[in-house]
Amino acid sequence: MTDADEVWRLEVIGEATGCGFAVTPTRALTCAHLIGRGQRHCRVASLPGTRAVAVPSAYDKHVNPIPDIATIDISGHPADAVAPMGPANRPTAGTVLDLFGLPDRGREGRRSQARVSGPSRTGEWIQIDAVHGHTAWVEPGFSGGAATDAATGLVVGMVVSADRSLSERSAWVIPNDTIAASAPWLAAVLADPLSGDPDFVAVLRSLNSRRYTAARDRLPDLHSRHRRSSDLYYYWAIVLLQGVRPANHSGEVIDGIERLLGEACRLDSGSAHAQALLALVREDYYGLRSLPVSGRGGHHELTASHVSTGHAIEIVSHVPATECLTWRSLYRRSMG
């Protein structure tokens, strides 16, 4: 049905057949109009049995079709097969979106592209228009499908409706901020889109098994989607250290790591773990060479005291600079 990397895309079978997408290992989103009036169950082609569905009480396709949003319980779905969710802010006019639908059930599906035109009359949906005249267009079977930003690959909304006129070639998407208003649990996911990105989950898994090269290979794609995320640069620095103390790296590598951690601190001045890692890198590399650390480091005790236990464990595990005062402070912090 979809590419191997897109197993988060779902086929949803209710009163009608359409799409959905896994947002967490237990929750997926789809359009309420696929489920059927008064129904609270549907089928997901990739999962056995019927699945419970939560439809906002305000929705009634015969009276009030907005918001046309439903949450599906997909317990049993693979933990790492979740959609790369984008931020809560909606795409601007002119943004090109990639779409995927299942107009012919049991077939391979169909892809399309559209360009954001602007908000709907109520402002809750956004209108999209065809990019190319020959592009396959939105029709029944696209409903509930993820609309992804063509430049970043991040999900920015859900396809909901299309103009039935073949000449108009317009459709509508429910943007993430509108979805979150009807599905409040989504707000936490959108607040930190990096943590829910399947590639980031894979990076953490590779780090846990010390497969630094495998982790590094996924970072460029993550950067294209999450360049404003402080933690991306923090983890990139850990990956580049490769489990080796900073003092054993070249000056060129340390310069790169300092730039990464500097960007992490710039994006989030309250990131204690990025500050602590930067202090440790500088203390070990410059201290071993008896080079001045003043102006480069921080107050290690103060910095370490604000680092979470989880991040402290992470740093002392991957950066074995055991002689450094910062490392020892972090080790005490890692013990709780």
Side-chain angles (χ1 to χ4, degrees), residues 73-90:
D73 179 355
I74 55 167
S75 299
H77 183 76
D80 56 351
V82 294
M85 297 302 296
N89 51 301
R90 59 182 57 189

Side-chain angles (χ1 to χ4, degrees), residues 14-144:
E15 184 179 66
T17 297
C19 296
F21 51 100
V23 179
T24 75
T26 59
R27 285 170 168 159
L29 289 168
T30 191
C31 285
H33 73 256
L34 297 177
I35 308 304
R37 191 174 189 180
Q39 293 184 15
R40 289 296 182 269
H41 289 84
C42 70
R43 289 188 177 274
V44 175
S46 58
L47 292 169
T50 58
R51 319 304 297 185
V53 179
V55 178
S57 58
Y59 172 74
D60 185 330
K61 67 181 177 182
H62 300 287
V63 180
N64 176 30
I66 302 174
D68 189 347
I69 298 159
T71 298
I72 308 173
D73 179 355
I74 55 167
S75 299
H77 183 76
D80 56 351
V82 294
M85 297 302 296
N89 51 301
R90 59 182 57 189
T92 57
T95 301
V96 176
L97 304 180
D98 287 328
L99 313 175
F100 179 85
L102 295 163
D104 300 309
R105 186 179 171 192
R107 289 255 175 108
E108 291 300 311
R110 192 176 301 164
R111 296 182 185 275
S112 184
Q113 276 198 328
R115 182 176 283 109
V116 174
S117 174
S120 64
R121 179 181 60 80
T122 64
E124 294 190 277
W125 294 357
I126 53 177
Q127 180 180 325
I128 55 174
D129 300 319
V131 173
H132 307 293
H134 63 273
T135 302
W137 193 231
V138 176
E139 57 182 298
F142 275 79
S143 293

Side-chain angles (χ1 to χ4, degrees), residues 87-335:
N89 51 301
R90 59 182 57 189
T92 57
T95 301
V96 176
L97 304 180
D98 287 328
L99 313 175
F100 179 85
L102 295 163
D104 300 309
R105 186 179 171 192
R107 289 255 175 108
E108 291 300 311
R110 192 176 301 164
R111 296 182 185 275
S112 184
Q113 276 198 328
R115 182 176 283 109
V116 174
S117 174
S120 64
R121 179 181 60 80
T122 64
E124 294 190 277
W125 294 357
I126 53 177
Q127 180 180 325
I128 55 174
D129 300 319
V131 173
H132 307 293
H134 63 273
T135 302
W137 193 231
V138 176
E139 57 182 298
F142 275 79
S143 293
T148 60
D149 187 318
T152 67
L154 296 176
V155 175
V156 294
M158 177 171 67
V159 178
V160 62
S161 178
D163 194 310
R164 294 186 179 275
S165 168
L166 293 178
S167 61
E168 293 297 331
R169 296 175 72 79
S170 292
W172 286 266
V173 165
I174 310 177
N176 285 348
D177 58 344
T178 297
I179 298 175
S182 292
W185 59 269
L186 182 63
V189 177
L190 299 180
D192 185 13
L194 175 66
S195 66
D197 192 304
D199 276 340
F200 181 67
V201 174
V203 165
L204 294 184
R205 187 182 299 114
S206 295
L207 271 179
N208 288 337
S209 57
R210 299 185 180 277
R211 292 183 292 115
Y212 299 105
T213 300
R216 186 189 61 203
D217 289 345
R218 292 183 181 267
L219 289 169
D221 284 344
L222 279 170
H223 184 251
S224 70
R225 299 194 291 270
H226 304 286
R227 63 181 68 246
R228 301 294 299 170
S229 173
S230 171
D231 270 357
L232 173 63
Y233 301 95
Y234 160 78
Y235 282 104
W236 204 325
I238 289 180
V239 168
L240 290 187
L241 285 167
Q242 300 183 65
V244 176
R245 64 183 299 174
N248 290 344
H249 283 284
S250 68
E252 182 180 4
V253 171
I254 295 301
D255 284 345
I257 290 171
E258 285 188 293
R259 284 195 296 272
L260 287 168
L261 292 172
E263 182 66 4
C265 294
R266 186 188 70 80
L267 290 168
D268 181 4
S269 59
S271 178
H273 47 283
Q275 294 173 19
L277 180 56
L278 180 57
L280 177 57
V281 167
R282 287 172 168 172
E283 182 183 349
D284 191 48
Y285 182 81
Y286 296 102
L288 190 70
R289 291 161 177 76
S290 299
L291 297 173
V293 185
S294 59
R296 292 181 178 273
H299 303 289
H300 57 87
E301 291 286 358
L302 179 62
T303 302
S305 68
H306 290 85
V307 177
S308 69
T309 300
H311 283 307
I313 293 172
E314 201 166 57
I315 295 172
V316 299
S317 173
H318 291 287
V319 191
T322 56
E323 297 92 337
C324 294
L325 295 176
T326 303
W327 189 94
R328 293 176 184 175
S329 297
L330 288 167
Y331 179 76
R332 289 192 293 271
R333 183 68 179 144
S334 74
M335 302 300 288

